[in-house]
Amino acid sequence: MLRLLRLLLLLLLLPPPGSPEPPGLARLSPGAPPQAPDLLYADGLRAYAAGAWAPAVALLREALRSQAALGRARRDCGARCAAEPGAALPAVLLDAPDSGPGPAQGAWERLLLRAALRRAECLTQCGVQRLGPGGAARLRVGSALRDAFRRREPYNYLQRAYYQLKKLDLAAAAAHTFFVANPTHLQMREDMAKYRRMSRVRPQSFRDLETPPYWAAYDDGLELLGRQEAGLALPRLEEALQESLAQVESCRAGCEGPEEQQREEEEEEGTGGQGGLYETIAGRWIRVLQCRQRCVGDTATRPGRSFPVPDFLPSQLRRLHEAHAQVGNLSQAMENVLSVLLFYPEDEAAKKALNQYQAQLGEPRPGLGPREDIRQFILRSLGEKRQLYYAMEHLGTSFKDPDSWTPAAVIPEALREKLREDQEKRPWDHEPPQPKPLTHWKDVLLLEGVTLTQDARQLNGSERAVLDGLLTPAECGLLLQLAKDAAEAGARSGYRGRRSPHTPHERFEGLTVLKAAQLARAGAVGSQGAKLLLEVSERVRTLTQAYFSPERPLHLSFTHLVCRSAIEGEQEQRMDLSHPVHADNCVLDPDTGECWREPPAYTYRDYSGLLYLNDDFHGGDLFFTEPNALTVTAQVRPRCGRLVAFSSGGENPHGVWAVTRGRRCALALWHTWAPEHREQEWTEAKELLKEPEEEEEEEEEEEETPSRDPSPEPPSRRLQRVQDRVGKPPRVREEL
C-alpha cells in the first residue's frame, strides 16, 4: 500500500504531457524529506520492467536524489556536530596510545564516552531535522544498492526510459553519465554512437550528471597552464583544490556511516569483532580510520578508472605555486611551495623554488607559512596513521598506507623492515629497451628480402619501425583470398561482417587463426591459406623480437586477419576515423596525456604489429599522434608485405584514417613477454592443420614412448569444444 501511494504521489508530480523537461535532474518534490532509496529504486525497476516509462523515470530520479540527500546530510551533520561544544574528543585521546602521559586512570573513559554520547545525540537530532522522522536509520542502504549507485546503474535504465518517452537530450545525458563510469560497456558504446548520429540530439546533451565539479576545474586549469595562461588558470586550479578537499571531507563523513557499510572492509582487513566492549570499539574505530585514509585515493580516481591520479594533492599545489610565480604573486607562490614541502620536506625542486621566491621577495616575511587547510590536513592524517600503525603492531590488524609522503618516523621501527620487504616485492614496470639505430641492422641477419624502411627517429617517436618485404605479392593474394572465402562461408569472427564498432560508415570482418584452421579442416577455405596465416604470424613474431627484444623472448598473444570495407553512399562529408586514436595496453586519456595501464586495456601486450596485404583502397593510412590524440607525428601508407611494428604502450598512440573506398586488409598481431598470455589458439590451429601423415607419425612416436606422462588437454581447447557444442560465438576481441 505504501509503495502504491508513493507511486501515485510521484505520478501527480510529473509535468503534464508536452511540457518542457526541466534542465538536468531538478527536484520533483521540493521541501519533502527524502524517501528510502532502496524502495524507490526497486519500484523504479518494476515500473521499467512493466514498460511504464514515465513512472520509472520519476522513481529512478527520486532514488538518485534521496541517495544524494542522505550523503549530504551525513556530511553536513558530521561537520556541524564536530564543532558542537563538548562533542569533540579530547586531543590527548586522538594520539597513538603510547604518545605520552594521559589523563588519570579511569578519567579517559569518562571523557571518551561523554564525548561519544554528546556526538551521537547531536547526529541523531541533526538527522531527524534533515531527513525527517527516523533520521538516517530510516534510510539505511545495503551494500548491493550502494554498488549499483556507484556503478551508476540507474542511468542505464533512465536512458532507455527517456528514449521511449522521446526525450532524446535527456536520454543522451543519462547514457553519457553511465558510460563515463562504465567505458567497457559495449551496448552503451553502441547506444552512444546512435545518439551522436541523431540530428535532434545536441552536442551539449552529452554531459556527465554525476562527476564531481573539481574534475572539470582541474582539467580546465591544466589546459590553461599548458597554453601559458597562468592568470586564467589560477582560479580554476584553486577551485579544484578546494573542491577536492571538500570531497575528501564528504568521503570521510561517509566512513562514519552504519556498520553494515564497513562489513566487506572488515573481512578484508582482518579487523572483525573480537568480543568485548573495548575490542569492539577499537575494531570499529580502526575501520573508520582505514576508510578515511582511503578517501584521498578515492577522490583522486576519475570515474571509470581503477587507479588514482598519483600525488593528487601535492601535484595541485606544485601547479599552483608555479602559476602564482608566473603572474608575480610571490607570497602565494611561497605559501603553496611551503605546503608542498609539508608533504615532501626533501623535494629538491620545491626547495629550489622556495629559495628563488625568498630571494625575489627580499626581506623575510615572518607571518608567511604553508596553507592552513593543508597543514591541518597533514596533521590530522599523520595522527590517524600513528593510530593505525600502532594497531598494526600491537593488535595484528593490517593497514596499506595509500600515501607515498608518509614520513618514516611515523612507522614503528618494528614494522619498517617488513614494510620495506613488501615494497621490494611489488612488480614495477620494466623500462622498454631503447630502439636500435639503422647502423645496427647492417650486422643483423634479417629475413631474405626484408628491408628496414623507417626507424623510430624517422617516425618521430620511440619504439617504432616500418619494414618492407615480409610478403610476396602471391602470399598477399593468398591471404586476401582466405579472408574472402571465410567471409563468404559466414565464419567472420569478432563482429561477423556487420558495421564496424568504431564507425557506422565501414563494414568489419575478422578471422582468427583457429577459425581459419577449423574452416580449412571443414573444406570451406583452402588449407594453404590457413597454413600461410600461421607461418606469417610466426615470421612477424621472430622479426619483432629480433628488432625490439633480442635479449627477452616474445610470445604471440593474439593474431587477427582484419578487413575494413567502405560502405558506398555513406562517405560524403565523412568526419570520423576508421579506428579512433588509442594505445594497445593502456587506456589513453587525451585530456591529461596519461595512459592508464588497467582494464579494459589488454595490459599484458608489449609489442604490436600490422602486416598489410593490399593498397587498392582510398584512405586507411595508419598514423601516430602525441598523447593528446590530436597532433599527428607520423603516417604510414599500407602496401603488400609492409609491417609496422611498435611498442604497445602510451608512447605510441595511433589510429586509422577513414577508409572511403574499397577494402583494406591487414594482419594485426600482438606480442607479450608473459608466457602465460601466449596464444593457445595458435597451437590448436597448428594441430588442426597437420597433414594425416604427420598425425600418424606422432601416433607411432607415442606408441614407442609409452612412459611419457600424458599432458592435460589445454583449457582453451576444451572451452572451444564446449562452445562448438552449444553454438556460442567465440570471444570478441578488440583489433587494430
Side-chain angles (χ1 to χ4, degrees):
M1 180 62 70
L2 285 175
R3 287 179 177 169
L4 180 60
L5 289 173
R6 186 185 301 113
L7 179 58
L8 291 172
L9 173 64
L10 289 167
L11 283 171
L12 290 172
L13 291 167
L14 285 171
S19 63
E21 186 76 20
L25 295 177
R27 187 171 186 79
L28 290 178
S29 46
Q35 301 299 309
D38 53 349
L39 298 180
L40 289 165
Y41 188 54
D43 290 344
L45 295 189
R46 289 190 188 94
Y48 178 90
W53 307 118
V57 165
L59 288 160
L60 291 170
R61 286 170 55 175
E62 197 63 23
L64 286 165
R65 292 188 194 88
S66 294
Q67 176 74 355
L70 179 60
R72 286 193 301 271
R74 184 170 288 129
R75 178 196 64 201
D76 297 344
C77 288
R80 171 180 147 188
C81 293
E84 284 282 320
L89 291 174
V92 70
L93 297 178
L94 296 177
D95 245 326
D98 58 355
S99 60
Q105 186 175 7
W108 66 270
E109 289 181 334
R110 294 192 299 274
L111 291 171
L112 172 63
L113 296 176
R114 183 174 62 188
L117 290 171
R118 291 288 298 275
R119 180 75 66 89
E121 177 190 14
C122 177
L123 289 170
T124 301
Q125 293 176 351
C126 181
V128 170
Q129 292 172 1
R130 293 287 299 268
L131 303 172
R138 179 177 60 88
L139 305 179
R140 289 185 63 171
V141 176
S143 59
L145 186 62
R146 279 197 309 277
D147 289 341
F149 278 78
R150 179 180 54 80
R151 294 191 300 267
R152 303 187 180 183
E153 287 183 4
Y155 289 99
N156 195 2
Y157 297 103
L158 275 171
Q159 70 98 13
R160 172 73 174 169
Y162 276 130
Y163 178 80
Q164 295 293 332
L165 294 170
K166 310 300 183 187
K167 299 181 183 296
L168 298 183
D169 281 329
L170 287 171
H176 181 76
T177 301
F178 177 81
F179 188 65
V180 165
N182 301 273
T184 63
H185 198 283
L186 295 180
Q187 182 59 53
M188 189 58 75
R189 180 182 297 179
E190 292 182 9
D191 289 347
M192 289 284 290
K194 292 175 184 176
Y195 286 127
R196 292 189 186 280
R197 294 197 296 270
M198 293 179 183
S199 58
R200 289 182 293 164
V201 177
R202 298 168 297 174
Q204 58 267 34
S205 298
F206 296 94
R207 62 190 190 279
D208 187 353
L209 303 172
E210 285 283 336
T211 297
Y214 62 86
W215 281 118
Y218 178 78
D219 292 336
D220 288 348
L222 294 187
E223 182 180 354
L224 290 166
L225 269 186
R227 300 206 303 255
Q228 303 299 316
E229 298 180 18
L232 297 175
L234 272 173
R236 297 297 280 161
L237 291 172
E238 185 63 38
E239 179 186 352
L241 180 60
Q242 292 298 326
E243 291 293 335
S244 299
L245 292 172
Q247 182 69 20
V248 170
E249 294 305 310
S250 181
C251 173
R252 287 171 61 87
C255 293
E256 299 176 13
E259 177 69 356
E260 180 191 1
Q261 185 167 341
Q262 309 295 336
R263 194 164 293 163
E264 291 179 6
E265 287 89 347
E266 173 183 330
E267 296 172 359
E268 201 174 287
E269 304 287 351
T271 58
Q274 301 172 15
L277 171 65
Y278 296 109
E279 291 91 339
T280 303
I281 292 174
R284 180 68 200 279
W285 180 239
I286 289 166
R287 292 191 294 277
V288 169
L289 293 180
Q290 289 169 336
C291 176
R292 288 177 174 179
Q293 286 288 301
R294 289 192 292 267
C295 280
V296 173
D298 292 346
T299 300
T301 303
R302 291 179 183 271
R305 299 291 168 75
S306 301
F307 299 100
V309 174
D311 255 1
F312 189 51
L313 295 179
S315 66
Q316 293 188 63
L317 291 166
R318 290 189 181 98
R319 293 185 174 99
L320 273 168
H321 87 72
E322 292 167 0
H324 277 297
Q326 289 179 30
V327 299
N329 297 335
L330 295 182
S331 297
Q332 290 90 335
M334 276 192 66
E335 184 181 69
N336 283 282
V337 80
L338 285 169
S339 301
V340 174
L341 290 168
L342 289 180
F343 287 100
Y344 296 105
E346 301 304 320
D347 188 304
E348 291 299 329
K351 290 196 290 186
K352 180 179 179 182
L354 177 62
N355 292 334
Q356 179 182 344
Y357 300 153
Q358 287 175 332
Q360 290 175 321
L361 281 172
E363 58 186 30
R365 305 286 180 90
L368 202 56
R371 300 171 60 115
E372 184 61 22
D373 51 2
I374 296 298
R375 191 182 72 83
Q376 291 294 336
F377 169 85
I378 290 180
L379 287 176
R380 182 179 63 185
S381 183
L382 290 178
E384 293 171 352
K385 291 177 191 291
R386 290 189 183 96
Q387 294 178 68
L388 286 166
Y389 279 120
Y390 180 91
M392 188 176 177
E393 181 181 14
H394 297 284
L395 301 180
T397 62
S398 61
F399 171 50
K400 299 174 184 177
D401 195 332
D403 300 315
S404 59
W405 54 266
T406 303
V410 171
I411 305 172
E413 195 168 343
L415 295 176
R416 290 178 195 171
E417 186 60 32
K418 180 181 182 303
L419 293 174
R420 190 179 300 113
E421 291 174 1
D422 293 343
Q423 184 83 3
E424 291 171 356
K425 292 177 184 175
R426 293 180 183 176
W428 300 109
D429 292 336
H430 296 281
E431 288 292 330
Q434 294 299 312
K436 312 291 189 301
L438 276 168
T439 53
H440 168 81
W441 289 93
K442 294 178 180 178
D443 302 321
V444 175
L445 180 62
L446 295 179
L447 296 172
E448 184 178 355
V450 174
T451 58
L452 178 64
T453 305
Q454 290 178 288
D455 63 2
R457 180 182 56 80
Q458 293 167 314
L459 290 169
N460 302 314
S462 64
E463 297 283 313
R464 304 173 184 172
V466 175
L467 300 105
D468 283 314
L470 268 79
L471 294 172
T472 65
E475 289 175 325
C476 287
L478 193 57
L479 291 175
L480 287 169
Q481 188 63 43
L482 172 67
K484 181 181 178 183
D485 292 344
E488 291 176 354
R492 309 175 188 90
S493 66
Y495 302 94
R496 301 188 175 274
R498 297 181 302 186
R499 291 179 185 254
S500 168
H502 308 296
T503 170
H505 306 295
E506 297 176 15
R507 295 196 181 278
F508 178 95
E509 297 163 358
L511 182 68
T512 65
V513 289
L514 181 57
K515 182 56 70 175
Q518 291 170 340
L519 289 170
R521 194 69 179 257
V525 301
S527 61
Q528 189 179 0
K531 289 180 178 179
L532 179 62
L533 182 63
L534 276 179
E535 192 272 324
V536 167
S537 63
E538 177 60 20
R539 194 185 299 176
V540 172
R541 185 203 65 80
T542 302
L543 196 58
T544 304
Q545 177 177 312
Y547 188 82
F548 291 111
S549 183
E551 297 87 13
R552 190 173 181 184
L554 280 175
H555 309 277
L556 274 169
S557 174
F558 187 52
T559 308
H560 210 190
L561 177 54
V562 176
C563 293
R564 307 165 185 270
S565 303
I567 299 176
E568 293 185 11
E570 296 189 11
Q571 304 303 318
E572 289 186 12
Q573 298 181 343
R574 180 178 169 184
M575 300 294 292
D576 63 349
L577 299 172
S578 179
H579 197 130
V581 176
H582 63 286
D584 287 342
N585 69 9
C586 52
V587 180
L588 184 66
D589 185 350
D591 293 333
T592 63
E594 296 177 274
C595 206
W596 303 82
R597 197 158 184 174
E598 60 185 51
Y602 297 92
T603 56
Y604 51 83
R605 290 175 176 172
D606 294 299
Y607 288 94
S608 307
L610 277 169
L611 179 59
Y612 296 107
L613 305 183
N614 65 323
D615 60 3
D616 54 340
F617 53 87
H618 290 188
D621 288 8
L622 177 76
F623 62 93
F624 294 95
T625 74
E626 296 287 356
N628 62 12
L630 296 174
T631 307
V632 175
T633 58
Q635 184 164 314
V636 181
R637 177 65 187 169
R639 56 181 288 187
C640 168
R642 170 165 288 177
L643 171 68
V644 183
F646 49 92
S647 57
S648 303
E651 66 279 2
N652 281 319
H654 57 282
V656 179
W657 295 118
V659 178
T660 57
R661 183 185 299 175
R663 187 166 182 253
R664 172 194 190 268
C665 293
L667 189 59
L669 309 102
W670 292 272
H671 310 86
T672 179
W673 281 321
E676 64 270 20
H677 288 294
R678 72 176 65 188
E679 186 173 19
Q680 294 295 333
E681 289 187 358
W682 195 95
T683 305
E684 295 176 43
K686 187 176 180 181
E687 292 290 328
L688 280 175
L689 291 171
K690 281 185 177 178
E691 298 294 339
E693 295 81 3
E694 296 178 19
E695 292 179 354
E696 289 174 6
E697 289 176 6
E698 285 200 355
E699 288 175 4
E700 291 175 4
E701 185 182 346
E702 288 176 2
E703 290 174 2
E704 293 171 3
T705 57
S707 62
R708 181 168 55 183
D709 293 334
S711 299
E713 186 178 20
S716 59
R717 187 182 304 174
R718 293 199 299 271
L719 177 61
Q720 182 65 41
R721 289 177 179 172
V722 171
Q723 289 174 340
D724 290 342
R725 284 199 297 270
V726 301
K728 291 182 179 178
R731 182 164 63 99
V732 175
R733 306 198 196 188
E734 189 174 357
E735 83 302 327
L736 275 170

